[in-house]
Amino acid sequence: MATPILLFRPLVSTGITSFLSLLLLVQISCTERKKAGTETAASPGSTLEIPPLFERRGELATAVEWPRTKEKVDELQKKIKKTPGDIKPRLQLAVIYLSEARITGEHPYYYPAVLTILDGVLAMDPKNFEATTFKSSVKMSQHQFAEARELAEKARQINPDNAYVYGVLVDANVELGHYDEAVAMSDKMQQLKPSLESYSRASYLREIYGNYPASIEAMKLAVQAGLPGSEPYCWSKNILGHLYETTGRLADAEQQYDGILALRPSYAFALAGKARIQKSRKEYDQALTTLEKAAGIMPEFSFHEEMAGIYALQGEQEKAKKKFAEVATMLDEDARSGHAVDLERCKLYTKSGQLDSARVYGLKEYRKRPENIDVNHALAWVYFNQNDLKKAQEHMQVALKTGSKDPERLQQAAAIEVALGHVEMGNRLVAQARKINPTFAL
């Protein structure tokens, strides 16, 4: 479920955030959810143990690369058994497992498994650069942002001229709310290696600072830098599609999603993008069918959360309630695997009307990263719905401190100001939202 490493754009919740980092790590180093009692990763204490490959299911099991993946994993496991002191095959196995986490969405299994492998490497070589950077990436994927930043800084001391390290530092500083530092790290990354990874991070920072045209242009560069058909390429097109969605260019967004699916029909996040377009056209049944297909490929909680929202729009409140409960269960499973999901819980409980729970989880996340604009946005909306307008305004002011022009954020900020009697300010915020996306439903 967790957002793959990269930048944690709002597109896919915790979860699409290891495409870019995985690609960089490769350069550095050379679907049902599992049921209780099935495959489990080695315990963290078993630092030299190698967890098995998680068997793919459904449509992903028919992918052309799956037999080659199994063959390669078997080869590496034999090498490790023959020469247990050799670090290289362990790192190669970690790359494959990170790739499988991205492809299958089985993060509750793969992230602990990768950490087991990496802890084994670091037990043999505590200053191993690759293992340290891998581990920082996994911690980012698990939303353990402070630890990820600490590990990345340690890696930078080992090798200050590697672009990947600066990418992780961009990501971690963004999530911790250190936006100026994130920009500095992004600039350094660009200097070291202009690439799909660095263009994508520049795009996200431009989005954070409210410059959608520049964000789109940088994302186009990321797409152009990718190998057509590769997953980083598809991820970049997917993000570009979402930027088009945010700015009201739905035809352009759909073109990106269709382009991905022509190359990779099982690319679940592009299917989710198609579903959002269908939802915008009020083709609710079709959107649900598309989301069900995406969810059948990958156990990503945001697909189910989107379904719950559509059920609510259709007036199917019982179905919506049941689906929201399923999402909560999925988040609980991720939390048990070491993934921090308090912000996701806050947003979920806000949508489902469980405002006291939403506030509890929102404040828990706020205590860890009080300067993050997304955390403050989520808390602002909780407080607004609880009619605590003063606290809602305080948090929304932090959420807008970078100049964010996200239409939904601006619309909610406008609602808070109008409720406080600041009608003129509310109207200005609404006008800004409409300027970014003239089709946005206000």
Side-chain angles (χ1 to χ4, degrees), residues 258-307:
D258 286 340
I260 295 168
L261 294 169
L263 296 169
R264 284 183 171 268
S266 62
Y267 196 82
F269 289 109
L271 287 168
K274 286 280 290 185
R276 290 193 301 272
I277 300 294
Q278 291 161 350
K279 175 186 170 183
S280 72
R281 295 172 181 155
K282 299 186 178 180
E283 299 169 352
Y284 297 138
D285 289 340
Q286 191 172 351
L288 286 169
T289 298
T290 305
L291 284 166
E292 286 166 0
K293 183 177 180 181
I297 294 169
M298 175 182 289
E300 163 61 39
F301 84 87
S302 65
F303 302 160
H304 295 271
E305 191 171 19
E306 191 73 51
M307 287 185 223

Side-chain angles (χ1 to χ4, degrees), residues 23-150:
L23 180 60
L24 285 163
L25 285 167
V26 172
Q27 294 169 348
I28 292 171
S29 66
C30 330
T31 194
E32 293 175 344
R33 294 181 155 248
K34 64 184 178 66
K35 309 298 182 184
T38 62
E39 297 118 310
T40 55
S43 65
S46 306
T47 56
L48 298 182
E49 190 172 340
I50 300 299
L53 187 67
F54 192 98
E55 191 69 27
R56 288 193 193 180
R57 302 182 177 93
E59 188 172 343
L60 290 174
T62 66
V64 293
E65 77 273 4
W66 180 231
R68 293 197 299 270
T69 299
K70 291 193 289 185
E71 182 180 341
K72 184 63 178 178
V73 167
D74 184 60
E75 174 190 327
L76 290 170
Q77 288 174 334
K78 287 177 180 177
K79 284 184 178 179
I80 292 168
K81 187 175 182 179
K82 183 177 180 180
T83 55
D86 189 356
I87 286 174
K88 185 177 178 179
R90 295 175 183 270
L91 293 173
Q92 291 175 325
L93 199 61
V95 170
I96 293 173
Y97 280 16
L98 279 174
S99 178
E100 284 299 299
R102 181 185 74 245
I103 291 168
T104 65
E106 294 290 353
H107 306 113
Y109 175 80
Y110 274 117
Y111 290 157
V114 172
L115 288 175
T116 294
I117 295 170
L118 298 178
D119 285 341
V121 172
L122 290 169
M124 293 185 281
D125 180 6
K127 293 186 177 181
N128 185 276
F129 173 72
E130 291 87 348
T132 304
T133 52
F134 270 97
K135 191 168 183 177
S136 69
S137 294
V138 176
K139 292 297 181 179
M140 277 300 300
S141 288
Q142 292 184 315
H143 292 190
Q144 304 287 349
F145 303 122
E147 189 174 355
R149 185 178 185 274
E150 182 180 348

